[in-house]
Amino acid sequence: MVQPILQVKNLEVEFVTDDGIVRAVNDISFDLYPGETLGIVGESGSGKSVANLTILGLIPQPPGHVKGGEVLFAEQDLLKLSQRQFRTIRGKRIAMIFQDPMTALNPFLTIQDQLIEVSMLHLGHTRAAAIQHAVELLELVGIPAAASRITEYPHQFSGGMRQRVMIAMALSCEPDILIADEPTTALDVTIQAQILDLLKAMQDKRGMAIIFITHDLGVVASICDRVLVMYGGRKVEQTDTKTLFAAARHPYTLGLLHSAPRWDQPQLTRLQSIEGQPPDMMNLPAGCAFAPRCQWKTDECLAAVPELVSIGSEFSEGSHVFACIHADQIQQAGSTSREELPHA
Amino acid sequence: MPNSENTILSVNNLKVHFPSKRKFGQPKRWIRAVDGIDFDVQEGETLGLVGESGCGKSTTARAILNLIHRAKVEGTIHLNGTRIDNLSDRAMIPHRLTAQMVFQDPFASLNPRMMVGNIIREPMGNYKLFGDETGRRLEVIRLLELVGINPQYMNRYPHEFSGGQRQRIGIARALAVQPKLIVCDEAVSALDVSIQAQVINLLMDLQQKLGVSYVFIAHDLAVVRHIAHRVGVMYLGKIVELADSKELYDSPQHPYTTALLSAAPVPDPTVDVRANRITLTGEVPSPDIEYVGCSFAARCPQVLGHCASTMPQLSTTDHQVSCLLYEDDNIDKSDPPKSNSAEVVV
Ligand SMILES: Nc1ncnc2c1ncn2[C@@H]1O[C@H](COP(=O)(O)OP(=O)(O)O)[C@@H](O)[C@H]1O
Ligand SMILES: Nc1ncnc2c1ncn2[C@@H]1O[C@H](COP(=O)(O)OP(=O)(O)O)[C@@H](O)[C@H]1O
Ligand SMILES: [Mg+2]
Ligand SMILES: [Mg+2]
């Protein structure tokens, strides 16, 4: 059996602010396997970034506070590491890329200085070898004239190019895990497609595991092997990508699937939106956080947070986990509405 | 362009060139943000405009409403039959009743120190609509209900609402003057998918009820297909293809449209989009270059020898396309390109 490369167990993170306590991540657990891409989807504010920043010890404390849980990697709990110990892992064995490349790039250093610093530090390259390595990486991520442009500053690159530079930097140490937090959300589809292809190619070559945070179901469908759905700081559903799209069992997931228009099919007259608003993370309800927006809710849903239930997945060997007491009804509703969809 | 009675907006050969910051010792250059576009919008119709960032969508939006300053603007814009591109800001005022705009970032466009009721009432007061204050108050309530915001919240401030709610408030404000046309510039782009669907449904319902027209600008190809009746694809300040929505998405003609669509993911894991992907090399070039031929030639997978030196014209058929491949003169379509780079005149 393949062992997970990363195990997140019962992670709880909160922010103590003047207005109250934000319960950003509530009891999140998942395993990540070598060579796979795990998608994380959810509304903005549902805790996707906080959960992943916590894995890398990047939560500002205070106001952040890791209340509980474990993050097991290479036989140690990352939550117990000092910032110094973290430096041997972050950027070397686990790397992260963000939506805004300028959060990772230093505007006052040339691309070369930023790229070689990492590999000299972590891979023990000489300066000359590090430059060589950096140019190769830039070429790999599709920067034209990499050898001459490497001495430029970040602001001399376009947004799409900066994104690729950041990816080159993240890949420069050949990490075991890449955490990608909406890395293509701000990019045009043509550049997004290039970057997704690149990540896939790097993954095939190096067996790197990827956590891909996105709100774009198209991106999920095209690159993720498995998907974890978050709502109100909790995991509400997790399964392989095929099962998720074909047999969702949580009403938020189903609503999300129905909300997304497609460019490759004739338009329906109306999108089936999820009515209402996402929950206030400072005042999460006692019961299911999705209940106020849910057409299937019953009194039971309001009383207590539904437990995660696990069954075998329909389309793969893996399992299907969901937190909804009306899951069967929802899966039924999903399959009926699919039959009603007009096809081209 | 024929100006039929139902034409709300008619744009003819619109050009917007911004002066670029001059680098020392270099001649003055012009950023050709919009470089000769034509389209019209009928009553109750939604025209979508798509294209990669920098292709000139927002500039087009601002030009439609005569909001461009410090630029060279050419061509004509007729709003509801009246030419407006040559009007002063003052002379534009009555025409602001005809056309309104909704922006991507509702927060930036709503005054944070004003209660939302007043935000919506302000334009009504400016134009002395709906009789007196009582009439305007009733209209604010009606509009808030129309866009799905509880009118009891009209004394709250913008920051007390979520992104989706603020976008509804922005739409209510645009509707306050009962416009015939609303230009939506990335109006749903920043919203979560579930909330985005609510706002799209709202815009479509309003069109049904009020007969309002939209110019709907977005980079999300799926959203545009869903909402628009006709769609124009822009590349470097030009419309390269314009057709009925279904027609454009089901049988795109311009090589750029084909490439753009092939890169757009589909929320369905059983569809292998990657298999049909046409990868474009390079990025959209800088818009401060004037081309003698097709500006897409340098990146075009189907480029011909003539493309870099012959300017294609947008055809006048129902499915309009601007590409030599579809011009049926004596062009040798097997003619290979001499070099894969466009000739330019500076
Ligand atoms: N530094 C912080 N201080 C206070 N609250 C925060 C901070 N960072 C994140 N949060 C809150 O934590 C919740 C989860 O945020 P985040 O993980 O960024 O969401 P997303 O799913 O959009 O990535 C949100 O309610 C957010 O406002
Ligand atoms: N006020 C301005 N001054 C100079 N250049 C501008 C100005 N506004 C837009 N541009 C340029 O015009 C081009 C088109 O921009 P824009 O209309 O914003 O494109 P889009 O909305 O499609 O992303 C871009 O190259 C942009 O940098
Ligand atoms: Mg986030
Ligand atoms: Mg724009």
Side-chain angles (χ1 to χ4, degrees):
Chain A
M1 257 225 25
V2 189
Q3 291 300 310
I5 186 162
L6 180 80
Q7 288 183 289
V8 174
K9 293 186 170 168
N10 310 102
L11 193 63
E12 306 242 357
V13 187
E14 60 183 29
F15 291 93
V16 182
T17 72
D18 293 345
D19 299 329
I21 295 175
V22 182
R23 286 155 58 204
V25 174
N26 303 302
D27 197 18
I28 293 279
S29 303
F30 64 87
D31 292 344
L32 180 71
Y33 292 89
E36 78 162 340
T37 300
L38 174 69
I40 300 188
V41 298
E43 312 261 311
S44 45
S46 62
K48 305 181 295 295
S49 296
V50 169
N52 284 283
L53 288 168
T54 308
I55 293 172
L56 279 178
L58 289 173
I59 285 295
Q61 308 197 39
H65 168 57
V66 181
K67 256 178 77 184
E70 290 173 78
V71 176
L72 301 179
F73 173 76
E75 284 155 18
Q76 51 193 337
D77 181 359
L78 298 185
L79 298 180
K80 296 211 170 74
L81 298 188
S82 67
Q83 281 301 327
R84 246 196 62 186
Q85 290 168 311
F86 238 124
R87 247 173 274 153
T88 63
I89 293 188
R90 196 192 305 137
K92 182 170 161 62
R93 303 201 53 195
I94 308 179
M96 187 154 180
I97 54 182
F98 305 88
Q99 178 171 350
D100 176 7
M102 289 316 280
T103 52
L105 297 175
N106 182 334
F108 304 110
L109 290 180
T110 63
I111 300 298
Q112 171 168 307
D113 287 342
Q114 310 195 40
L115 273 169
I116 64 172
E117 188 197 316
V118 202
S119 68
M120 284 167 72
L121 194 73
H122 291 316
L123 299 180
H125 281 158
T126 62
R127 192 179 157 80
I131 294 176
Q132 167 87 31
H133 181 61
V135 171
E136 281 167 15
L137 270 168
L138 290 177
E139 281 168 353
L140 201 65
V141 297
I143 305 275
S148 64
R149 295 209 65 184
I150 193 167
T151 53
E152 293 180 7
Y153 291 86
H155 71 87
Q156 291 171 283
F157 285 69
S158 70
M161 287 289 169
R162 280 202 287 261
Q163 199 71 18
R164 290 181 220 198
V165 169
M166 177 175 57
I167 293 170
M169 205 155 92
L171 297 176
S172 68
C173 284
E174 311 192 352
D176 301 319
I177 300 173
L178 178 71
I179 300 177
D181 191 351
E182 311 223 16
T184 58
T185 301
L187 301 178
D188 286 313
V189 285
T190 49
I191 298 176
Q192 168 172 283
Q194 289 173 20
I195 286 177
L196 297 184
D197 285 351
L198 171 76
L199 291 180
K200 206 85 206 129
M202 300 296 280
Q203 182 173 52
D204 290 347
K205 215 157 96 192
R206 299 181 176 159
M208 169 175 81
I210 301 178
I211 297 177
F212 201 105
I213 303 171
T214 179
H215 63 264
D216 186 333
L217 292 170
V219 171
V220 171
S222 68
I223 70 155
C224 296
D225 301 302
R226 291 190 303 141
V227 191
L228 188 164
V229 183
M230 283 182 73
Y231 195 83
R234 288 183 185 274
K235 169 159 110 177
V236 295
E237 185 155 16
Q238 182 178 4
T239 186
D240 60 281
T241 305
K242 266 215 183 91
T243 306
L244 191 90
F245 280 82
R249 283 170 173 269
H250 192 278
Y252 170 67
T253 313
L254 187 65
L256 200 59
L257 294 172
H258 285 165
S259 302
R262 305 175 57 145
W263 68 263
D264 66 328
Q265 277 183 7
Q267 63 211 67
L268 309 163
T269 43
R270 275 179 80 81
L271 293 170
Q272 299 177 40
S273 65
I274 306 175
E275 294 310 316
Q277 304 294 326
D280 175 356
M281 300 289 278
M282 246 177 255
N283 289 302
L284 286 170
C288 172
F290 187 68
R293 302 175 79 182
C294 182
Q295 62 184 104
W296 290 278
K297 70 162 172 283
T298 53
D299 288 347
E300 218 180 322
C301 304
L302 305 174
V305 174
E307 307 243 330
L308 280 165
V309 180
S310 175
I311 58 165
S313 145
E314 272 175 53
F315 296 92
S316 82
E317 314 272 291
S319 71
H320 190 163
V321 181
F322 46 87
C324 175
I325 52 177
H326 304 298
D328 288 343
Q329 237 178 307
I330 283 142
Q331 199 215 327
Q332 191 58 42
S335 52
T336 352
S337 72
R338 244 185 319 279
E339 279 153 26
E340 285 164 8
L341 284 183
H343 281 281
Chain B
M1 215 56 30
N3 230 321
S4 89
E5 248 176 59
N6 299 329
T7 306
I8 288 298
L9 174 71
S10 171
V11 174
N12 294 292
N13 198 24
L14 176 70
K15 292 185 182 175
V16 182
H17 294 178
F18 295 104
S20 77
K21 277 189 218 117
R22 195 194 302 223
K23 287 194 192 123
F24 183 73
Q26 283 182 359
K28 180 163 190 159
R29 297 177 78 96
W30 291 94
I31 296 165
R32 312 171 74 91
V34 174
D35 208 16
I37 62 172
D38 296 89
F39 63 86
D40 55 14
V41 181
Q42 307 300 316
E43 216 167 85
E45 182 190 41
T46 302
L47 177 84
L49 283 180
V50 299
E52 290 170 283
S53 47
C55 70
K57 303 182 297 297
S58 294
T59 304
T60 303
R62 282 159 54 221
I64 292 170
L65 299 181
N66 205 354
L67 290 171
I68 304 271
H69 299 283
R70 285 181 284 283
K72 211 161 66 179
V73 182
E74 282 174 30
T76 60
I77 294 161
H78 286 82
L79 196 57
N80 208 16
T82 313
R83 181 164 173 192
I84 57 143
D85 54 275
N86 49 3
L87 299 184
S88 66
D89 284 353
R90 231 191 123 78
M92 251 325 272
I93 290 174
H95 298 285
R96 304 247 175 262
L97 290 172
T98 311
Q100 285 283 314
M101 190 150 171
V102 177
F103 300 89
Q104 166 163 14
D105 180 1
F107 208 48
S109 60
L110 302 178
N111 184 342
R113 281 180 291 276
M114 266 170 90
M115 293 186 284
V116 302
N118 293 341
I119 288 177
I120 298 166
R121 182 162 31 198
E122 190 182 41
M124 299 178 188
N126 292 346
Y127 293 98
K128 311 242 176 331
L129 302 174
F130 308 106
D132 54 5
E133 280 307 307
T134 318
R136 291 195 266 277
R137 202 187 143 76
L138 288 175
E139 182 62 12
V140 169
I141 291 172
R142 195 186 71 84
L143 282 174
L144 284 171
E145 276 170 353
L146 191 65
V147 300
I149 302 273
N150 187 339
Q152 286 178 347
Y153 296 164
M154 71 181 181
N155 293 335
R156 295 193 179 179
Y157 291 89
H159 75 263
E160 296 177 81
F161 294 89
S162 68
Q165 288 172 320
R166 284 197 290 260
Q167 200 54 283
R168 289 165 181 272
I169 293 164
I171 292 168
R173 185 182 57 172
L175 288 172
V177 300
Q178 302 189 312
K180 290 183 173 260
L181 172 72
I182 300 181
V183 178
C184 301
D185 188 4
E186 305 280 5
V188 300
S189 307
L191 304 176
D192 274 315
V193 185
S194 71
I195 306 293
Q196 176 178 289
Q198 293 177 8
V199 177
I200 292 170
N201 284 340
L202 170 67
L203 289 170
M204 293 175 79
D205 290 348
L206 291 173
Q207 186 165 61
Q208 286 262 306
K209 277 189 211 153
L210 311 173
V212 61
S213 308
Y214 299 115
V215 172
F216 190 90
I217 294 171
H219 63 272
D220 185 323
L221 295 156
V223 166
V224 173
R225 172 167 193 162
H226 186 77
I227 199 167
H229 301 103
R230 284 187 304 141
V231 178
V233 181
M234 290 185 72
Y235 186 77
L236 273 176
K238 293 204 159 69
I239 290 180
V240 296
E241 184 162 3
L242 198 161
D244 173 79
S245 180
K246 181 174 181 350
E247 170 75 17
L248 185 105
Y249 284 87
D250 289 349
S251 14
Q253 294 187 351
H254 198 285
Y256 177 65
T257 312
T258 314
L260 195 63
L261 287 177
S262 82
V266 173
D268 182 349
T270 62
V271 176
D272 184 8
V273 270
R274 220 174 275 261
N276 306 316
R277 171 87 48 77
I278 299 159
T279 309
L280 293 179
T281 50
E283 281 191 45
V284 181
S286 143
D288 61 356
I289 298 167
E290 182 177 2
Y291 293 84
V292 271
C294 173
S295 54
F296 185 60
R299 301 173 74 200
C300 182
Q302 290 169 266
V303 67
L304 307 172
H306 298 75
C307 290
S309 56
T310 313
M311 182 69 78
Q313 300 298 325
L314 192 64
S315 61
T316 50
T317 44
D318 274 352
H319 187 146
Q320 295 178 273
V321 60
S322 167
C323 176
L324 292 191
L325 287 172
Y326 300 90
E327 287 186 12
D328 40 27
D329 326 56
N330 308 326
I331 286 169
D332 178 4
K333 296 193 174 151
S334 60
D335 177 19
K338 280 155 210 91
S339 88
N340 199 3
S341 76
E343 279 177 46
V344 297
V345 228
V346 175

